[in-house]
Amino acid sequence: MHAESQETTLSSCSSSSSSSSSPSCSACVVPLAFSPVQGTVTVPFSAGWNRRYRDASGENLITGLEIIPLRFTNLEWTDVEARFDRLAYTKNGTEPVIKWSDFSFCIAMQQTPEFANEILRALRGRSEWKVDITKNELRDYWHRMAGSVDSRIQLFFYMCDRNFDGKIDEIDMKQTILGSASANKLSMTHEEAQEYAASIMEFLDTKKRGYLEPPQLDTLFKVSLPRASYGRSSPTPDDLYHEPMSKNEVRFRSYWRRAWIVLFWLLICAVLFTWKFIQYSHRPAFQVMGYCLSTAKGAAETLKLNMALILLPVSRNTVTWLRKKRWLSSIIPFNDNINFHKLIACGIVVGVILHGGTHLACDFPRISGCDSVLFQQTLASGFGYQQPTYMQILATKEVATGIAMVILMAIAFPLATKWARRQSTLLPRSVRHVAGYNTFWYSHHLFVFVYALLFVHGMFLFLTNNPFEKTTWMYVAVPVLLYAGERIYRVVRSGIYEIKNLTPSLYPGKVLSLKMQKPEGFRHPFSLTSGPADDFLSVHIRALGDWTYRLYGIFQEEMLGAAKGFPKVYIDGPYGASSQDYVKYDVVLLIGLGIGATPFISIIRDVANNAQKAEFDQVAGSVCKIPKGPLKAYLYWVTREQISFEWFRDVITEISKIYLKQPVIEMHNFLSSVYQEGDGRSAILSVIQALHYARTGIDIISKTPIGSTSSPNWQDDTQENGLEFSTVAHYYWERSWRDCAPPSPTEPIQDLYFTRSISRWYLSLEAN
């Protein structure tokens, strides 16, 4: 199925020490110092969970688990004071004040002003809380918000106590939960909030009085609660770690394959440029055009090379075949093929500017304006012994075809940028309206005419009649034939794999899921959400551009009864991807953003299926070869919208059941709209999340057995799982990516710390 990959995923693989070569899945390299370990899983608690954690006197006995913190501000008083001074004004000659509505800005809660207003109401009491605030008052409020644990819990109690009667009933708790859900952009019904409020009352109101007082709420934040976790592993033994690596060593291991390929390419371009530059410096025409001629001809030689090379990275079947050659993939980063394609395109742009620009601005004016005697002695034979004008030079076959190529490239190149393909809001509205993936796709086919013109352009050279110097066809013939053959092969192959049974599903966030019968003999890597062992193919496609919106609309119309039958679907492939090499490693760490988690769903399905098959064979007593693959897989899924969890809810629930028998998969969900744990805006959510998970085994955010938290803290999360970091490596997500989480809560994976390990390690950053 042809569709642009508009998602971004980050994956890394840890290979066993026995591997003899570097895997081809890496676009860049960083170490992961961890090894397969057997994990533990938090099994859902029974219906008697409440009694389980209390003794005969009703005292809470939960111990050994993490305490849920509570804080209202991370700012120091100097920061709060500086914010006050920015907004303060003098009213009627009195001391400076700020408006009550500016309180949220002063405590850095301007994104959730409603919640900040609730804090101010709790600080001031029910009456007259909507009045101006002096600096002394603000200092007192800050001390109460940033003071002792008891002070913060008391403030939270006042926030819950809506009528200030010193008691919190179930209705008060429900309103607090709904307000917290709204501040964290969570979808929660009144019925759900009622259920969660009842859970808290059941847990704290042991005497069944129907209300809570401050000491009981104090217990809620001072006693450890069961946490919503899934598949947490025990730390890796210390003897698996080695000495820290230096930054330079990490950088070298990360980029050496990219570096030598790029340097080799630059070296070839430099050699070709220099060769032609020197060659034309000794030609008679040099007397007329000087170094302008040498520069143009040197650039022309690099253009021939790059026009040939640019087709190779997008010959997908060839790249897939080469990627399978381990010795070759260990030194050539085939997974960087698209990036190399773009790099060569930049080289072509530079070559066109030097070649065409120098000809138009320097060479041609000198030819038409040089002394007639000098012209006859040097260039006359190439122009029929008649000195041309500037316009006559432009009308020649050589120049006309060159100008035509430049025009076609000037159309295609800008439309191939990510801003045009994704219809970025940075583009003018008139341009954005005509841009998109379809525009990119069809405009890129203008290069069919570019290559036709290139052959013509290379056959007519007015400075030489030597056929051995007309070498353009020698450069591009083989790549053009290879690419053309691949395109024909893809058309034929996609006609063979016609889909018979098709089941579409629509999910929130304009996500289309297609589940189809797997054609006989079709073996696929991991760009789908189905595993290789499944008897079906499934894909999840989010509508982000014109092509995907159109595809979503077609199936939406049919499912709503507005169309007559599903369209025919043909599939082409499989093509290689870095994720398919996961079977080479003992441990894989998969980090997906938004819809970018789709290939990783396929991987964890396959790991789970292999583990289940191995267990079945062991129980049956059969002797068979266990499928090669990881002994442990970690999946970190970061998304910014709660509705995203619905996309893979069934799959994750299914895999979580397998894990209870075979703990080979560890999954973690992160919702970046939720504030960090301990923040007053999300503290009550952490409480009800823990209680609800303990009772039902289901997370309140993802509605799956996998606990969800806010944006990941890579340092803490990886150390908790035995993934120890000690040397820094930098990665930055582009803020324009539509499916990654907002920059503020998920400030990209940067400053990851790594240590040496006995395992091999690779990190692949995939982006289009």
Side-chain angles (χ1 to χ4, degrees):
M1 180 172 292
H2 305 288
E4 179 191 19
S5 174
Q6 299 188 25
E7 301 79 39
T8 304
T9 57
L10 180 67
S11 68
S12 66
C13 311
S14 176
S15 155
S16 65
S17 57
S18 61
S19 299
S20 60
S21 61
S22 302
S24 61
C25 75
S26 64
C28 50
V29 188
V30 289
L32 277 178
F34 62 106
S35 65
V37 291
Q38 293 299 316
T40 59
V41 62
T42 302
V43 181
F45 298 101
S46 64
W49 62 276
N50 196 22
R51 295 189 301 274
R52 179 177 179 177
Y53 296 104
R54 300 187 182 280
D55 61 14
S57 64
E59 291 298 321
N60 199 306
L61 296 179
I62 301 175
T63 58
L65 296 171
E66 188 176 349
I67 295 176
I68 295 177
L70 176 65
R71 62 179 182 276
F72 291 97
T73 181
N74 291 322
L75 298 181
E76 298 293 334
W77 166 245
T78 54
D79 299 321
V80 176
E81 184 179 29
R83 287 170 174 255
F84 177 93
D85 293 338
R86 287 173 57 184
L87 301 176
Y89 67 98
T90 302
K91 185 177 181 180
N92 299 327
T94 60
E95 61 179 311
V97 296
I98 61 170
K99 297 179 180 178
W100 67 269
S101 57
D102 292 328
F103 177 72
S104 60
F105 173 79
C106 288
I107 63 172
M109 281 193 181
Q110 58 269 30
Q111 294 180 336
T112 53
E114 296 84 2
F115 192 88
N117 292 342
E118 289 297 316
I119 296 176
L120 183 59
R121 184 188 63 83
L123 289 166
R124 283 189 152 179
R126 179 165 43 186
S127 61
E128 297 185 357
W129 65 276
K130 290 186 176 182
V131 296
D132 295 338
I133 304 173
T134 66
K135 182 179 290 189
N136 288 332
E137 289 174 326
L138 184 62
R139 183 186 293 108
D140 178 63
Y141 298 157
W142 176 82
H143 279 297
R144 293 172 64 184
M145 290 187 297
S148 65
V149 175
D150 291 334
S151 173
R152 284 175 275 150
I153 293 177
Q154 185 181 49
L155 176 58
F156 190 81
F157 183 91
Y158 291 151
M159 291 180 64
C160 297
D161 183 12
R162 301 277 168 166
N163 55 7
F164 293 96
D165 61 355
K167 301 175 182 178
I168 300 175
D169 58 21
E170 193 169 310
I171 296 177
D172 291 333
M173 188 59 67
K174 174 185 174 181
Q175 293 301 319
T176 301
I177 292 172
L178 287 173
S180 182
S182 176
N184 289 273
K185 299 179 182 179
L186 295 181
S187 174
M188 184 179 295
T189 65
H190 283 266
E191 291 75 15
E192 289 174 328
Q194 184 74 42
E195 177 188 357
Y196 303 148
S199 295
I200 294 179
M201 298 299 293
E202 178 187 359
F203 184 75
L204 296 178
D205 185 18
T206 57
K207 297 181 180 180
K208 307 300 180 184
R209 294 182 298 179
Y211 60 86
L212 304 177
E213 294 181 328
Q216 294 164 295
L217 196 66
D218 186 73
T219 301
L220 192 63
F221 291 103
K222 286 188 176 180
V223 177
S224 297
L225 293 170
R227 309 309 307 277
S229 61
Y230 181 80
R232 291 285 183 181
S233 302
S234 57
T236 304
D238 293 337
D239 58 1
L240 290 179
Y241 299 118
H242 296 258
E243 72 277 9
M245 299 172 62
S246 67
K247 291 184 179 181
N248 291 334
E249 185 175 357
V250 171
R251 291 192 181 102
F252 174 77
R253 291 174 180 257
S254 300
Y255 300 113
W256 75 268
R257 293 193 304 165
R258 290 178 175 181
W260 88 262
I261 285 290
V262 173
L263 290 175
F264 184 64
W265 170 68
L266 290 174
L267 178 62
I268 294 177
C269 290
V271 168
L272 290 175
F273 182 92
T274 304
W275 170 52
K276 279 295 177 180
F277 186 94
I278 295 174
Q279 185 183 86
Y280 273 84
S281 296
H282 297 88
R283 296 287 178 90
F286 183 80
Q287 301 177 43
V288 176
M289 292 173 276
Y291 288 109
C292 291
L293 173 63
S294 299
T295 301
K297 288 301 181 178
E301 205 67 20
T302 65
L303 274 173
K304 297 175 188 178
L305 172 69
N306 288 329
M307 289 297 290
L309 289 180
I310 199 168
L311 294 175
L312 299 181
V314 290
S315 298
R316 301 174 65 182
N317 289 291
T318 302
V319 172
T320 300
W321 178 75
L322 292 174
R323 185 187 281 113
K324 296 178 182 178
K325 311 299 179 182
R326 177 169 294 189
W327 67 271
L328 194 59
S329 63
S330 65
I331 59 175
I332 299 178
F334 288 110
N335 297 310
D336 264 341
N337 60 322
I338 298 301
N339 289 330
F340 192 54
H341 175 78
K342 296 175 181 177
L343 180 63
I344 297 172
C346 294
I348 290 175
V349 171
V350 173
V352 167
I353 293 173
L354 288 177
H355 177 68
T358 306
H359 271 331
L360 293 173
C362 182
D363 291 337
F364 299 163
R366 290 189 178 187
I367 293 174
S368 60
C370 74
D371 181 78
S372 58
V373 176
L374 180 60
F375 175 81
Q376 293 296 330
Q377 293 175 349
T378 54
L379 301 174
S381 60
F383 292 91
Y385 296 96
Q386 182 177 356
Q387 187 171 1
T389 64
Y390 187 86
M391 295 305 298
Q392 288 175 332
I393 296 175
L394 296 183
T396 60
K397 296 182 180 67
E398 305 93 304
V399 180
T401 53
I403 293 175
M405 284 190 290
V406 172
I407 293 174
L408 294 177
M409 289 180 182
I411 296 173
F413 277 162
L415 294 175
T417 62
K418 65 180 180 182
W419 300 282
R421 285 188 292 118
R422 300 179 182 181
Q423 296 177 301
S424 171
T425 55
L426 298 176
L427 297 174
R429 182 181 297 273
S430 57
V431 177
R432 188 166 68 249
H433 180 71
V434 299
Y437 179 77
N438 282 331
T439 304
F440 150 73
W441 176 254
Y442 290 113
S443 66
H444 237 53
H445 284 75
L446 292 174
F447 279 93
V448 173
F449 303 103
V450 171
Y451 277 95
L453 291 169
L454 182 62
F455 277 102
V456 176
H457 183 77
M459 297 304 296
F460 295 92
L461 300 178
F462 53 72
L463 295 181
T464 181
N465 291 318
N466 186 352
F468 295 102
E469 291 190 7
K470 300 179 180 181
T471 58
T472 301
W473 67 272
M474 299 180 187
Y475 280 94
V476 300
V478 173
V480 166
L481 291 175
L482 176 65
Y483 183 76
E486 282 216 358
R487 292 299 299 270
I488 295 172
Y489 174 66
R490 289 168 56 182
V491 172
V492 173
R493 184 171 58 177
S494 62
I496 296 174
Y497 292 138
E498 180 181 356
I499 298 302
K500 302 296 183 182
N501 299 322
L502 182 66
T503 304
S505 300
L506 301 179
Y507 291 100
K510 291 191 179 298
V511 171
L512 169 67
S513 172
L514 297 178
K515 188 174 181 179
M516 60 200 82
Q517 178 185 351
K518 182 189 290 187
E520 185 177 354
F522 186 89
R523 300 179 59 189
H524 69 88
F526 300 90
S527 57
L528 311 179
T529 50
S530 55
D534 295 329
D535 57 0
F536 61 88
L537 300 176
S538 64
V539 295
H540 285 66
I541 305 169
R542 189 172 190 185
L544 292 175
D546 53 352
W547 189 92
T548 48
Y549 266 109
R550 179 57 181 154
L551 181 66
Y552 182 89
I554 290 173
F555 282 93
Q556 183 183 45
E557 291 176 3
E558 169 56 29
M559 296 182 72
L560 295 176
K564 298 180 180 179
F566 296 122
K568 282 188 177 182
V569 174
Y570 297 90
I571 59 176
D572 179 36
Y575 295 111
S578 60
S579 54
Q580 78 183 80
D581 291 330
Y582 88 103
V583 295
K584 300 177 182 178
Y585 310 106
D586 296 328
V587 177
V588 290
L589 172 62
L590 312 167
I591 304 175
L593 303 183
I595 199 67
T598 49
F600 301 150
I601 297 298
S602 177
I603 291 178
I604 62 173
R605 287 182 73 116
D606 193 52
V607 173
N609 288 338
N610 289 343
Q612 197 172 33
K613 183 178 185 300
E615 181 194 26
F616 176 80
D617 292 337
Q618 185 178 9
V619 172
S622 61
V623 179
C624 65
K625 184 179 180 181
I626 299 177
K628 184 180 179 181
L631 302 177
K632 188 74 174 181
Y634 298 85
L635 173 61
Y636 284 71
W637 184 21
V638 186
T639 185
R640 66 179 179 182
E641 298 173 334
Q642 187 184 14
I643 59 174
S644 303
F645 293 122
E646 296 187 26
W647 305 341
F648 309 121
R649 184 173 296 160
D650 295 340
V651 175
I652 292 176
T653 301
E654 174 188 346
I655 294 174
S656 66
K657 295 177 181 178
I658 298 176
Y659 184 89
L660 293 176
K661 299 180 180 179
Q662 289 289 339
V664 296
I665 296 172
E666 183 172 313
M667 294 181 283
H668 306 270
N669 292 333
F670 300 95
L671 183 61
S672 61
S673 66
V674 175
Y675 287 94
Q676 291 288 346
E677 188 175 56
D679 192 295
R681 289 165 286 191
S682 63
I684 195 65
L685 294 178
S686 298
V687 171
I688 62 178
Q689 193 175 24
L691 295 177
H692 188 77
Y693 189 89
R695 185 178 62 180
T696 66
I698 300 297
D699 180 64
I700 66 171
I701 296 177
S702 67
K703 303 297 192 297
T704 70
I706 303 175
S708 302
T709 59
S710 59
S711 302
N713 183 325
W714 300 108
Q715 183 77 19
D716 294 342
D717 288 334
T718 49
Q719 286 183 353
E720 183 176 349
N721 291 309
L723 314 182
E724 195 70 39
F725 300 114
S726 67
T727 305
V728 69
H730 298 278
Y731 288 93
Y732 301 92
W733 303 116
E734 296 182 42
R735 298 192 177 191
S736 62
W737 287 346
R738 302 185 186 182
D739 256 316
C740 70
S744 53
T746 58
E747 203 58 13
I749 305 175
Q750 53 183 329
D751 299 334
L752 286 183
Y753 296 89
F754 299 97
T755 218
R756 284 182 183 170
S757 166
I758 60 173
S759 300
R760 283 186 177 269
W761 31 261
Y762 282 91
L763 187 86
S764 172
L765 177 62
E766 299 178 2
N768 284 326

